Amino acid sequence: MKAIVLNQFGSVENLLYKEIEKPIIKETEVLVKVKAISINPVDIKVRNREAPLAEELVNVNPLILGWDISGEIVEIGNKVSQFNLGDEVFGMVNFVGHGKAYAEYVAVSPNHITLKPQNINHTAAAASTLAALTAWQAFNSYGKLRPKDKVLIHAASGGVGHFAIQIAKHMGAYVIATSSAANRDFVMGLGADEFIDYKTVQFENTLQDLDFVLEAIGGSNFQKSVKVLKPFGTIVTLPFGHSLKDELKAQEKNLHACYFMSVYSSGQDMEHIASLLEMGVLKPYVSHVFEFNEMAKAHLQIETGHTVGKVVVKL
């Protein structure tokens, strides 16, 4: 099969196209013929050896990046009963671990995937995996978002952010979103109740007594976000790098704080995502689609730090 192998950590030039053996599945796995792959910032961070996960993969050979897939089941282990040959499925697979998604075929635990809704294509399905799961788990696992909560979502036009707005609105929350002015119409079109241009408005001086913050920026943005929360509010943060001073500030307000959430593979959570996609409640926005031989371009697009919605590579 065709695969993209990372021969060493570093630049996109280290992503090499190779013919390798198709995976031999275990009796508890299924083999998925991949139709589309979603690309995330973690892909770039692992490639650059900037994520903790990279250290777990340092001795893996061949190292194949990627975790988000949509495709068709072509082989089933004899201990798998919940899927059939030909089923179209999607999910974030083998995370946190060696995903091996940059390939024509991927061996997958059936507990990491679910059936793809018939009303969306593989591109949209692949887009609705890691980023959508991150938003879902932030509001339902790491924190508990409640109806009528006031929630602040940072980086609202990005992969996680644009799903988070839609999920929060579906859960009955009042959504305040930050992004750049150029993305205002996009963000408001997703259902946000208020928009803040982070380049011209200091949100920490205009907001107060919020119930929940999904913090996606890091650095000083964490303490600013703590400032706008009410006592016993919730902050869930995506980036690494919080100081003890940051944590003490959160503790002073008795916040329920997750200082770094790590999304995890879950077929059960993917079922929730699939249901929302099927109902039309959740609509992924894919701003860039690349061919499999354009993986370097996909990585470079994510590296701009200004991607609206999602980037997908199709096979």
Coordinates of all heavy atoms in Angstrom, one line a residue, residues 146 148-150 208-213 225-234 250 253-256:
R146 N -23.6 23.3 31.0 CA -25.0 23.2 31.3 C -25.8 24.1 30.4 O -25.3 25.2 30.0 CB -25.3 23.4 32.8 CG -24.5 22.5 33.7 CD -24.4 23.1 35.1 NE -23.7 24.3 35.1 CZ -23.3 25.0 36.2 NH1 -23.7 24.6 37.4 NH2 -22.7 26.2 36.1
K148 N -28.0 27.1 29.4 CA -28.0 28.5 29.9 C -26.7 29.0 30.5 O -26.6 30.2 30.9 CB -29.1 28.8 30.9 CG -30.5 28.5 30.3 CD -31.6 28.8 31.3 CE -33.0 28.6 30.7 NZ -34.1 28.9 31.6
D149 N -25.7 28.2 30.5 CA -24.3 28.6 30.9 C -23.8 29.7 29.9 O -24.1 29.5 28.6 CB -23.3 27.5 30.9 CG -23.3 26.7 32.2 OD1 -24.0 27.1 33.1 OD2 -22.5 25.8 32.3
K150 N -23.1 30.6 30.3 CA -22.4 31.6 29.5 C -21.0 31.0 29.2 O -20.2 30.9 30.2 CB -22.3 33.0 30.1 CG -23.7 33.7 30.0 CD -23.5 35.2 30.3 CE -24.7 36.0 30.0 NZ -24.5 37.5 30.3
Q208 N -17.4 39.4 32.3 CA -17.4 39.0 33.7 C -18.4 38.0 34.0 O -19.4 37.8 33.3 CB -17.5 40.2 34.7 CG -18.9 40.9 34.5 CD -19.0 42.1 35.4 OE1 -18.1 42.4 36.2 NE2 -20.0 42.9 35.3
D209 N -18.2 37.2 35.1 CA -19.2 36.3 35.6 C -19.6 35.2 34.6 O -20.8 34.8 34.5 CB -20.4 37.0 36.2 CG -20.1 37.8 37.4 OD1 -19.2 37.4 38.2 OD2 -20.8 38.8 37.7
L210 N -18.6 34.7 33.8 CA -18.9 33.7 32.9 C -18.9 32.3 33.6 O -18.2 32.2 34.6 CB -18.0 33.7 31.7 CG -17.9 34.9 30.9 CD1 -17.0 34.7 29.7 CD2 -19.3 35.4 30.5
D211 N -19.6 31.3 33.0 CA -19.6 30.0 33.7 C -18.5 29.1 33.2 O -18.1 28.2 33.9 CB -21.0 29.3 33.3 CG -22.1 30.2 33.9 OD1 -22.3 30.1 35.1 OD2 -22.8 30.8 33.1
F212 N -18.1 29.3 31.9 CA -17.2 28.3 31.3 C -16.3 29.0 30.3 O -16.8 29.9 29.5 CB -18.1 27.2 30.6 CG -17.4 25.9 30.3 CD1 -17.9 24.7 30.8 CD2 -16.3 25.8 29.4 CE1 -17.3 23.5 30.6 CE2 -15.7 24.6 29.1 CZ -16.2 23.4 29.7
V213 N -15.0 28.6 30.2 CA -14.1 29.1 29.2 C -13.5 27.9 28.5 O -12.9 27.1 29.2 CB -13.1 30.1 29.7 CG1 -12.1 30.5 28.5 CG2 -13.7 31.3 30.3
S225 N -8.5 34.7 31.0 CA -9.7 33.9 31.0 C -10.2 33.6 32.4 O -11.4 33.6 32.7 CB -9.5 32.6 30.2 OG -9.2 32.9 28.9
V226 N -9.3 33.3 33.3 CA -9.6 33.1 34.7 C -10.3 34.3 35.3 O -11.3 34.2 36.0 CB -8.4 32.8 35.6 CG1 -8.7 32.9 37.0 CG2 -7.9 31.4 35.2
K227 N -9.9 35.5 34.9 CA -10.4 36.8 35.4 C -11.9 36.9 35.1 O -12.7 37.5 35.9 CB -9.6 37.9 34.8 CG -10.0 39.3 35.3 CD -9.2 40.4 34.7 CE -9.7 41.8 35.1 NZ -8.9 42.9 34.5
V228 N -12.3 36.4 33.9 CA -13.7 36.7 33.5 C -14.7 35.6 34.0 O -15.9 35.7 33.8 CB -13.8 36.8 32.0 CG1 -12.9 37.9 31.4 CG2 -13.6 35.4 31.3
L229 N -14.2 34.6 34.7 CA -15.0 33.5 35.2 C -15.6 33.9 36.6 O -15.0 34.5 37.4 CB -14.2 32.2 35.3 CG -14.1 31.4 34.0 CD1 -12.9 30.4 34.1 CD2 -15.4 30.7 33.6
K230 N -16.8 33.4 36.8 CA -17.4 33.6 38.2 C -16.8 32.5 39.1 O -16.2 31.5 38.6 CB -18.9 33.4 38.1 CG -19.4 32.0 37.7 CD -20.9 31.8 37.8 CE -21.7 32.8 37.0 NZ -23.1 32.5 37.0
P231 N -16.8 32.7 40.4 CA -16.3 31.7 41.3 C -17.0 30.4 41.1 O -18.2 30.3 40.8 CB -16.7 32.2 42.7 CG -16.7 33.7 42.5 CD -17.3 33.9 41.1
F232 N -16.2 29.3 41.1 CA -16.7 27.9 40.9 C -17.1 27.7 39.4 O -17.8 26.7 39.1 CB -17.9 27.6 41.8 CG -17.6 27.7 43.2 CD1 -18.0 28.8 44.0 CD2 -16.9 26.6 43.9 CE1 -17.7 28.9 45.3 CE2 -16.6 26.8 45.2 CZ -17.0 27.9 46.0
G233 N -16.6 28.6 38.5 CA -16.8 28.4 37.1 C -15.8 27.3 36.6 O -15.1 26.7 37.4
T234 N -15.8 27.1 35.3 CA -15.0 26.0 34.7 C -14.1 26.6 33.6 O -14.6 27.4 32.8 CB -15.9 24.9 34.1 OG1 -16.7 24.4 35.1 CG2 -15.1 23.8 33.5
A250 N -6.4 30.3 39.4 CA -7.6 29.5 39.2 C -8.1 29.0 40.6 O -9.3 29.0 40.8 CB -7.3 28.4 38.3
K253 N -10.3 31.3 42.9 CA -11.7 31.5 42.5 C -12.4 30.1 42.7 O -13.6 30.0 42.2 CB -11.9 32.0 41.1 CG -11.3 33.4 41.0 CD -11.5 34.0 39.6 CE -12.9 34.5 39.4 NZ -13.1 35.3 38.2
N254 N -11.7 29.1 43.2 CA -12.4 27.8 43.3 C -12.9 27.3 42.0 O -14.0 26.7 42.0 CB -13.5 27.8 44.4 CG -13.0 28.1 45.8 OD1 -12.1 27.5 46.3 ND2 -13.5 29.2 46.4
L255 N -12.1 27.5 41.0 CA -12.6 27.1 39.6 C -12.4 25.6 39.5 O -11.5 25.0 40.0 CB -11.8 27.8 38.5 CG -11.9 29.3 38.5 CD1 -11.0 29.8 37.3 CD2 -13.3 29.7 38.3
H256 N -13.3 25.0 38.7 CA -13.1 23.7 38.2 C -12.2 23.8 37.0 O -12.6 24.3 36.0 CB -14.4 23.0 37.8 CG -14.2 21.7 37.1 ND1 -13.7 20.6 37.7 CD2 -14.4 21.3 35.8 CE1 -13.6 19.6 36.8 NE2 -14.0 20.0 35.7

